[in-house]
Amino acid sequence: MRLSLAIVSLAVLATSRFVQADSTIGTSTFYTCDDINATVIVSKFSVSYSKQTQNITFDLAGTSKEQQNVTATISVSAYGNHLFNYTFDPCDYDIKPLCPAPSGTFSASGAVAIPSQYASQIPSIAFSLPDLDGYAKLTLENTDTQKEIGCFQSSISNGKTARQASVTYASAAIVGVALGVSSLTMLTHAIFSTSSGAASGSSPGFADVIGWTQSMAMNGMMSVQYPTVYKSFSQNFGWSLCMVPWSGMQKAIDTFRSNTGGNTTLSSWEVVQDSTILDYQTGAVILVNETALGGSTAKLIKRLTLDGIDFSQTNSTKVNGSTSFRVLTTVQGIARYVEHLMLPNANTFMTVLMFFAIILGVVICAILLFRIALEIWAQFSSLSKPLESFRQRYWLFMGSTIVRVILILYGTWVLYCLYQFKLGDSWASLLLASITLGIFTAIIGGFTLRIFWIAHKASREGGIDELYEYKPWIRRYGLFYGQFKAQYWWFFVVITAVAFGRSAFIALGDGHGLVQVVGQLALEIIFILALFAIRPFSNRSGNIINAIIAIVRIASLACVLVFVEELGVTAETTTIVGMVLIVIQAVLTVLLALLILIQAIIAIFQQNPRRKQNSAFDETELHSLGESKAGLLKANDSYNLELKGSRDSASGSNIGVAISEYGRLADGSGSTAAKTRGAHTTPWDDNGSHAELVPLAQGVKDHDHAADEPWARGGLERDKNGRPVF
């Protein structure tokens, strides 16, 4: 037991940013315990306990059907353990409104000193742990008959919670910085390098960071017995899955669903606003304010968390003693997660679809604005050669960026589409889920087949390195495989398959926590074994960062496995594991944030790598190749003079002979100078059209704008047939 407390104490120390309240435990909204034949109806009930004074302060109001002497019992439980049970006579503490309880309305408040033997049973850690998992109960008995005449229960809280707006904003800021750095890197590659943004840059990139943030949110979506503290923590990252409550959007979705066969009686924005959610074991009950649904303007927006109480068989109850509620539905897994975020469960897919459309629109508009800026600049000044080259490849860049967005969000999209298939509801929502999932899968599948085809072609002709060296291929398809080593170019298929499987287990296994956790755990183990075996990423940082993320994913799933109901782990143990899980995930998040910050600093102060490469090439390679290039130009001038003399002394038919002779020489049957000239792209003499004289050279020059970037990968650039291009 001491070891358990020590572990929790370390967890509390690590999450001390949440601890901001004093040493007080209090109750929140209350409800009736059971269906006893109560003669005392309470409309107000609050209890708080101060560690410093060891006093319980309470405030009670209600009505009694008759005058009667009462005995009160206060009991407190936390993490499945009964902390203490204290029975007292209100008359002993001079609580006159209950001494005796009058016939009619009454209001009583006061303080009860708890004897030290009871106070010592409350562990100090109960005042420090965020999201205290427990409840307090007040039972009233008729002193004369010993019959229970009233029972009221409420969750208890110490004022601390792991769900903090600051955590949400911090995680969003980290992802935003990662997006900025990755976008800058991608744009730089698109303008100055041969890859048109295909290269992924250093790890961690935007895809790594947003993937990890979404993973923390998904860890809170499974159908297991989460400790309250981890449920609250995982909700900090719901925004990364587009789970953001926006009233206007939700009302529009409700209207859309209502007009297409959806059931807005059980799940809608209005129902969410007029309901209370009570957690129990692996699920939650949604209680609906019947008065509000009947047309009253009164709204109950409070969301309760009362663990350990099973309402699944209850049809009605009273909350706060004044409003009648009925059980609308029970939810678990994904539904419970989104309902806690104040989103209707049935609106989940449409919410993500609309946010995806917004994100895609922002991306397209940003790229269009950049193009407009380039066009305006071109009207008043000449563009640099890299910018002009990028301008000509603009639509390729836009298309690859859209595909990149689809590839990054594909795993999340699979989750929500499959969940919509399981949920049913509106036929239009099902149709949109089918169409969009089919389109995204077809896009990724089509690119995958194309890449496999060109890889097969490259391996037969010039080697698999052609995937990276032949510019049209790396520009169009490099976003899929550019971050991997040449021999492991196919590893993007493994990552996509794992993302698909992860989402499929969560969505289709909803309601079966053991299946969800074990299935994902198996996938992650296979993935990390492959990662360690072949180390597929082209740079060391990519292998290390992805290995760390994979290890933490496995550790996280191992912790979530402890929460599975079938294992029967105690509430105290699950809370300890939940705190440890928060610490592990928080440490990795901070590590990623630091690495992103370092990348941002490097991106600001480091010289552009492409320009640096060109500079180094100019200083070394050009000097060593100066002699050979001078000889090449000299031979070229001699050949120009030869062609000019031929034109001056021969008829038009002789021009054809000269062209044929040049073709013969360029094909390899002539002199060394002529062979070298076959790939030369410099202009010929002023008196003739080189397009007419040397069509082969013109074709090589114009092929994919190869002359725009004459030095590639630290050496002489070559076309796909292996010929050097100057």
Side-chain angles (χ1 to χ4, degrees), residues 495-706:
I495 293 179
T496 304
V498 170
F500 184 95
R502 188 184 298 129
S503 298
F505 274 114
I506 295 176
L508 300 181
D510 191 50
H512 306 279
L514 186 60
V515 174
Q516 290 175 313
V517 179
V518 173
Q520 291 184 81
L521 201 54
L523 282 176
E524 298 295 347
I525 291 175
I526 294 173
F527 177 73
I528 198 171
L529 289 177
L531 205 59
F532 284 143
I534 64 177
R535 287 175 289 182
F537 291 88
S538 59
N539 52 57
R540 187 179 180 185
S541 63
N543 287 311
I544 293 175
I545 291 299
N546 282 276
I548 292 174
I549 292 176
I551 291 172
V552 176
R553 282 183 187 273
I554 292 176
S556 299
L557 288 170
C559 292
V560 175
L561 185 62
V562 177
F563 307 150
V564 173
E565 184 180 11
E566 287 83 348
L567 300 183
V569 180
T570 63
E572 182 182 23
T573 303
T574 58
T575 300
I576 295 172
V577 173
M579 294 297 299
V580 172
L581 178 56
I582 290 175
V583 173
I584 292 173
Q585 294 184 340
V587 168
L588 178 56
T589 304
V590 172
L591 174 62
L592 291 177
L594 291 175
L595 292 175
I596 288 293
L597 181 61
I598 293 172
Q599 280 194 50
I601 295 174
I602 292 175
I604 293 173
F605 295 103
Q606 188 181 45
Q607 182 182 3
N608 179 270
R610 182 64 182 173
R611 292 174 178 171
K612 186 177 181 180
Q613 179 183 354
N614 289 343
S615 176
F617 192 89
D618 290 340
E619 293 175 3
T620 58
E621 298 295 333
L622 285 181
H623 179 73
S624 63
L625 292 176
E627 236 179 75
S628 60
K629 187 171 182 181
L632 176 64
L633 294 176
K634 182 178 180 181
N636 179 63
D637 292 339
S638 299
Y639 189 75
N640 287 338
L641 292 174
E642 180 184 349
L643 291 178
K644 183 176 181 181
S646 298
R647 285 195 303 273
D648 292 340
S649 60
S651 63
S653 60
N654 290 335
I655 296 178
V657 175
I659 295 174
S660 299
E661 178 64 16
Y662 178 78
R664 183 181 66 80
L665 295 175
D667 287 339
S669 57
S671 65
T672 303
K675 292 178 184 178
T676 308
R677 286 194 303 271
H680 205 307
T681 61
T682 56
W684 302 97
D685 63 303
D686 296 332
N687 298 323
S689 170
H690 70 276
E692 297 174 356
L693 293 175
V694 283
L696 178 61
Q698 175 67 19
V700 172
K701 178 183 178 183
D702 290 342
H703 180 66
D704 201 36
H705 307 287

Side-chain angles (χ1 to χ4, degrees), residues 96 105 159 268 304 366 409 463:
K96 294 182 179 179
T105 60
S268 68
L304 308 182
L409 298 180

Side-chain angles (χ1 to χ4, degrees), residues 196-479:
S196 285
S200 62
S202 302
S203 290
F206 172 69
D208 299 319
V209 177
I210 190 64
W212 169 243
T213 307
Q214 291 175 341
S215 177
M216 288 190 288
M218 289 181 182
N219 276 347
M221 285 185 165
M222 288 174 272
S223 304
V224 297
Q225 298 185 69
Y226 291 107
T228 307
V229 62
Y230 187 74
K231 275 187 294 190
S232 298
F233 177 76
S234 66
Q235 290 164 15
N236 289 318
F237 310 101
W239 66 268
S240 65
L241 296 173
C242 300
M243 294 290 98
V244 179
W246 183 356
S247 61
M249 176 185 292
Q250 295 305 313
K251 290 176 181 178
I253 294 174
D254 286 342
T255 303
F256 174 80
R257 287 178 46 234
S258 178
N259 294 332
T260 55
N263 188 344
T264 56
T265 302
L266 291 177
S267 181
S268 68
W269 177 254
E270 183 180 357
V271 170
V272 165
Q273 301 303 305
D274 294 329
S275 64
T276 299
I277 184 169
L278 305 178
D279 282 344
Y280 73 92
Q281 296 177 350
T282 60
V285 169
I286 298 178
L287 303 177
V288 179
N289 183 337
E290 291 183 328
T291 304
L293 287 180
S296 171
T297 57
K299 301 283 186 180
L300 179 60
I301 307 177
K302 294 181 180 178
R303 317 288 280 186
L304 308 182
T305 302
L306 303 176
D307 289 344
I309 307 303
D310 188 349
F311 279 95
S312 59
Q313 304 300 323
T314 305
N315 292 323
S316 63
T317 186
K318 286 184 177 294
V319 177
N320 285 350
S322 59
T323 305
S324 179
F325 285 74
R326 64 180 176 87
V327 174
L328 180 67
T329 184
T330 58
V331 292
Q332 59 182 334
I334 298 175
R336 178 175 63 179
Y337 186 88
V338 299
E339 289 284 345
H340 272 294
L341 294 175
M342 298 294 291
L343 286 170
N345 175 41
N347 289 11
T348 303
F349 168 74
M350 291 301 301
T351 299
V352 177
L353 177 61
M354 296 185 73
F355 272 111
F356 174 80
I358 293 172
I359 293 171
L360 200 60
V362 169
V363 170
I364 293 174
C365 288
I367 299 176
L368 285 173
L369 287 175
F370 185 72
R371 174 61 186 270
I372 293 172
L374 280 181
E375 294 298 331
I376 295 175
W377 188 359
Q379 294 298 320
F380 297 97
S381 176
S382 60
L383 296 176
S384 64
K385 198 169 186 179
L387 284 176
E388 182 61 36
S389 178
F390 171 78
R391 183 185 175 195
Q392 295 173 359
R393 300 193 305 268
Y394 168 78
W395 295 109
L396 174 63
F397 177 75
M398 174 176 282
S400 64
T401 303
I402 293 174
V403 174
R404 190 187 300 270
V405 172
I406 294 174
L407 190 61
I408 291 174
L409 298 180
Y410 183 68
T412 305
W413 201 259
V414 170
L415 169 68
Y416 289 123
C417 289
L418 294 182
Y419 181 64
Q420 184 66 43
F421 296 156
K422 186 171 183 178
L423 188 64
D425 197 62
S426 164
W427 63 263
S429 298
L430 289 171
L431 181 62
L432 288 172
S434 303
I435 292 174
T436 53
L437 182 60
I439 291 174
F440 292 171
T441 304
I443 290 174
I444 295 176
F447 274 96
T448 301
L449 292 177
R450 175 65 177 171
I451 292 169
F452 270 83
W453 184 82
I454 64 174
H456 175 69
K457 180 180 178 182
S459 62
R460 288 195 311 172
E461 296 181 357
I464 201 65
D465 287 342
E466 289 287 332
L467 283 176
Y468 297 83
E469 295 175 357
Y470 184 44
K471 289 189 293 184
W473 289 351
I474 191 66
R475 283 173 177 166
R476 290 179 175 86
Y477 313 117
L479 65 95

